[in-house]
Amino acid sequence: MNLRLLMLLLLATLVAGCNFGPGGGGDDDDATGDDDDTTGGEPVETTIAELNAGDVANGTLVTVSGVITTPYDEDEDDNEARFWIQDGSGPGTGMQIFTFPDVVAELDDSNIAEGDEVEVTGLFDAPFDFNEIRVTSTLNVTKTGTGTMPAPHPVSAEDIEGGFAPNDLVGVLVELTDVTVDVAGGWDNYWEWEAEGAIVDSLFYYADVVPGGTVDSLVGLLFLDFGNAVVAPRWSGDVDFTYAGCDTAADSDVRDINCREVEEEDGVTLEGLIVISPAPWFSDSSFYAVDPAGDFFAGLLVNTNSEDPAPAIGTEVDVEGDYEEYRGQTQVFAFGDDISVGDDGNDVTPMEVTDACAVGEAHEGMLVTIPSVAVTQDSDGADFGYYTITGCDNVVVGGEFWGDFDEFNSDTGGEGTITDLVGVVNDELDTYAINPRTDSDWASWE
């Protein structure tokens, strides 16, 4: 959904939902200075398994070794950061490392990242009923080599259903296989989704799964978030799934991207795309385009930093860039000089969809037309520029191509019935918006 300001309003809530640990605030976060937590005595050399088994008392200065298993997670507002390490595979081998944003920034600058073997010295504690080691300086994290990422521990959804999990799985990479998605991640559930009762968190990576779809493999870190055991995939390769209809969609390069046959962040070259939209609200140069050789799954957003305005609707373009997903929207990010403009005046016939509620992944980034839809608008819709389609749980009419909410509301017809609606479909957090491009994209709205 194109809820630009709502996104910002919810961001603080989403970050606050991450239960880090003891909290930063006024704590010493000097990346290079000493701190009483990590000096003032010889550390006890131990293992993560011994810490998790209760063999070492809370408050003990310890040294452990392990492989970093996750990206860094930062909260600048609360001055907190964390990452996880394991010294083996399976139960009891994982541990959260609590620290500060400037510490992980310096670690990142030193090219210390996931997959590296490190020695960590810090204060062992369990401030929120899960174990962690508190580190206040980069001097207390030493890279000892390139490690091997631990194999994820296989679990069933039943093992962790409803946010319950054995304590020895906390901090460990786990894997679920052949699970069905119950609930997709959206605005109402803080981007969490569920698969057969297992809760999946979007801490590191938002997977654009759909209810009823099958996830062949889900790998992620199991950690506690406000007491609930959740699984957090770290990157796109941790979630192996595809969309219904991909196997019958016409072959095209854009279809391959939308159907996850291309790895995220890979470079792609797309030729002969046709521009179907003006620039959206967030960019003067970006645009949506379709592959005319395709049918379903044939559209995407071309996001660019070009200083030139977006090409006119109907222009043929060739694009070189990196494939990315942003909150569910498939896009290719391209620099201005990586977009070649060809002939204009090409017609794209909107795909007719009889039932607006059937709009979904197969239509993302494409131009569609709906014969008739009834719409209502609540206070959020009025404030953030969208209309709810009667009978649809996650399909709306949006103002992606209006830069001002008041203008969108005044240019549209309010609550009532729209006939012959034409619009570009975009996807944000499992909400699909049909976005008319101008007030000429409907026959009537009354």
Side-chain angles (χ1 to χ4, degrees):
M1 183 188 306
N2 182 16
L3 310 183
R4 286 95 80 172
L5 295 182
L6 182 58
M7 179 193 314
L8 299 176
L9 293 172
L10 286 178
L11 184 58
T13 304
L14 295 171
V15 171
C18 298
N19 188 3
F20 268 32
D27 290 335
D28 180 8
D29 63 340
D30 184 0
T32 56
D34 291 335
D35 187 282
D36 290 341
D37 289 337
T38 50
T39 59
E42 289 297 319
V44 174
E45 293 191 10
T46 185
T47 66
I48 293 174
E50 290 172 337
L51 295 177
N52 285 325
D55 295 341
V56 179
N58 290 352
T60 301
L61 186 66
V62 299
T63 296
V64 298
S65 295
V67 174
I68 299 176
T69 57
T70 70
Y72 298 124
D73 177 36
E74 302 177 50
D75 181 355
E76 293 282 354
D77 290 337
D78 285 340
N79 193 30
E80 299 175 340
R82 57 181 173 172
F83 59 97
W84 281 262
I85 64 173
Q86 281 183 238
D87 61 2
S89 295
T93 62
M95 182 68 61
Q96 174 176 296
I97 309 300
F98 174 86
T99 186
F100 302 98
D102 57 350
V103 175
V104 296
E106 188 167 334
L107 292 174
D108 190 47
D109 289 342
S110 301
N111 294 317
I112 299 176
E114 60 267 15
D116 286 333
E117 187 170 347
V118 292
E119 183 180 84
V120 176
T121 297
L123 191 71
F124 172 60
D125 204 354
F128 287 96
D129 294 328
F130 58 82
N131 294 331
E132 68 178 24
I133 297 173
R134 186 176 188 271
V135 169
T136 58
S137 168
T138 55
L139 298 176
N140 300 110
V141 180
T142 303
K143 180 177 177 178
T144 57
T146 300
T148 300
M149 191 66 72
H153 178 68
V155 297
S156 69
E158 186 178 4
D159 293 335
I160 57 175
E161 184 178 1
F164 295 94
N167 288 336
D168 58 6
L169 289 182
V170 176
V172 171
L173 293 178
V174 299
E175 181 178 18
L176 296 89
T177 55
D178 297 324
V179 289
T180 301
V181 177
D182 304 318
V183 180
W187 294 103
D188 294 337
N189 54 11
Y190 304 104
W191 309 1
E192 287 184 347
W193 52 282
E194 295 184 20
E196 298 182 13
I199 303 172
V200 186
D201 193 276
S202 299
L203 176 68
F204 303 114
Y205 172 74
Y206 176 80
D208 192 26
V209 297
V210 294
T214 299
V215 176
D216 297 324
S217 171
L218 167 63
V219 173
L221 169 79
L222 190 143
F223 74 104
L224 296 182
D225 184 39
F226 284 101
N228 283 329
V230 299
V231 177
R234 300 156 297 171
W235 35 70
S236 62
D238 276 348
V239 191
D240 182 12
F241 72 98
T242 191
Y243 299 111
C246 279
D247 55 343
T248 58
D251 188 35
S252 75
D253 291 336
V254 177
R255 174 250 174 228
D256 293 345
I257 294 173
N258 279 314
C259 289
R260 298 176 54 84
E261 295 181 6
V262 177
E263 292 292 328
E264 288 186 40
E265 300 184 3
D266 277 2
V268 297
T269 299
L270 303 172
E271 298 180 346
L273 303 184
I274 306 299
V275 177
I276 60 170
S277 82
W281 63 269
F282 52 82
S283 168
D284 292 333
S285 54
S286 300
F287 54 91
Y288 289 83
V290 296
D291 187 335
D295 48 17
F296 295 101
F297 300 98
L300 47 66
L301 171 67
V302 178
N303 199 354
T304 175
N305 65 348
S306 174
E307 295 182 358
D308 297 325
I313 293 173
T315 302
E316 181 177 313
V317 294
D318 298 337
V319 177
E320 292 185 22
D322 294 333
Y323 158 49
E324 300 174 354
E325 292 281 341
Y326 182 71
R327 296 181 179 173
Q329 177 61 53
T330 299
Q331 63 179 12
V332 171
F333 184 84
F335 292 99
D337 54 2
D338 290 329
I339 300 174
S340 300
V341 177
D343 296 336
D344 59 10
N346 298 283
D347 291 330
V348 172
T349 302
M351 176 179 289
E352 184 168 347
V353 180
T354 303
D355 180 5
C357 300
V359 167
E361 285 296 326
H363 307 97
E364 181 186 307
M366 297 180 60
L367 191 65
V368 301
T369 182
I370 316 290
S372 178
V373 294
V375 296
T376 59
Q377 190 178 58
D378 59 16
S379 59
D380 282 345
D383 289 342
F384 304 115
Y386 68 92
Y387 291 87
T388 300
I389 297 177
T390 302
C392 300
D393 292 332
N394 64 336
V395 184
V396 302
V397 176
E400 184 84 351
F401 305 112
W402 270 260
D404 182 270
F405 298 124
D406 291 336
E407 286 183 11
F408 176 73
N409 290 330
S410 64
D411 288 348
T412 53
E415 294 190 351
T417 299
I418 312 171
T419 59
D420 296 331
L421 173 66
V422 175
V424 178
V425 177
N426 76 308
D427 176 14
E428 186 168 339
L429 298 177
D430 194 48
T431 295
Y432 302 95
I434 304 166
N435 300 279
R437 299 160 295 179
T438 69
D439 58 9
S440 298
D441 268 344
W442 57 82
S444 64
W445 189 324
E446 56 190 19

